[in-house]
Amino acid sequence: MNNAQPEPGDWPSFLQRFQEGKMAWGSWYDHVKGWWEKKQLYPKLLYLHYEDLAEDMDREFDRVCSFLGVCPTEEERHQVKERVQFDAMKKNSMTNYSTVSVMDFKISPFMRKGKVGDWKNHFTVYQNEQFDAEYQKKMMNTTLRFRTEI
């Protein structure tokens, strides 16, 4: 759906290229590790994980407020929490990329489902084992940990 990127091909081929870092934007592993390392050096970076937000929005909202040094009113909290829900963001042209001309929404929306663990519907057991092995190898020297389920 992103016409600025090369044709992704079928899922197995895409996954293989992703694992090898042969993407238009480079290696996902290098990108994520690079920012994680910067976070260790610069306290003005905050890492948020979608799974944590889905699990406990109030806890993560409090983390963001603390990080920013703000104390919103109850009304402001309510408004923000309402607007950052996946379905609200999926409908919002300011967050869903629908105003970006290279995105072809006739092919698919930019934001799909927002369901934690949906990867299980796309990965075979073998692909998951391969991904886990590659992840362990490429992320071994970092303290960064991702959850893929709640």
Side-chain angles (χ1 to χ4, degrees):
M1 64 106 35
N2 183 343
N3 291 319
Q5 299 293 326
E7 173 63 37
D10 64 12
W11 170 243
S13 300
F14 176 85
L15 184 58
Q16 183 66 37
R17 286 192 318 278
F18 178 89
Q19 293 287 78
E20 295 170 358
K22 295 179 179 175
M23 306 304 293
W25 55 86
S27 167
W28 174 87
Y29 300 100
D30 292 345
H31 172 77
V32 170
K33 283 192 311 187
W35 281 105
W36 184 253
E37 290 165 5
K38 293 238 186 289
K39 178 197 176 305
Q40 309 315 307
L41 298 172
Y42 302 102
K44 297 209 182 235
L45 290 175
L46 177 66
Y47 248 71
L48 295 174
H49 298 270
Y50 185 78
E51 292 77 9
D52 296 338
L53 288 162
E55 179 182 62
D56 190 339
M57 175 66 77
D58 287 320
R59 178 191 65 215
E60 297 304 301
F61 187 88
D62 290 342
R63 279 187 63 223
V64 171
C65 290
S66 176
F67 179 78
L68 295 173
V70 298
C71 188
T73 66
E74 281 305 312
E75 177 59 26
E76 290 167 331
R77 282 181 75 87
H78 176 73
Q79 288 177 358
V80 169
K81 286 170 51 179
E82 204 171 79
R83 292 176 184 159
V84 299
Q85 295 297 319
F86 182 86
D87 290 339
M89 291 182 72
K90 187 172 182 173
K91 293 174 189 169
N92 184 339
S93 64
M94 296 299 290
T95 56
N96 68 13
Y97 282 65
S98 62
T99 61
V100 178
S101 62
V102 298
M103 300 299 216
D104 187 349
F105 277 64
K106 288 179 245 130
I107 294 173
S108 74
F110 176 72
M111 299 172 77
R112 291 184 330 105
K113 299 177 187 175
K115 303 291 181 209
V116 174
D118 189 52
W119 61 272
K120 293 177 193 176
N121 295 318
H122 303 279
F123 281 64
T124 65
V125 171
Y126 176 74
Q127 288 170 338
N128 183 46
E129 290 170 351
Q130 293 296 107
F131 185 90
D132 285 348
E134 194 70 17
Y135 179 90
Q136 291 302 319
K137 184 171 86 176
K138 290 184 175 170
M139 301 298 276
M140 70 162 46
N141 295 323
T142 181
T143 58
L144 176 61
R145 296 293 172 257
F146 286 96
R147 296 178 354 176
T148 58
E149 300 179 74
I150 295 179

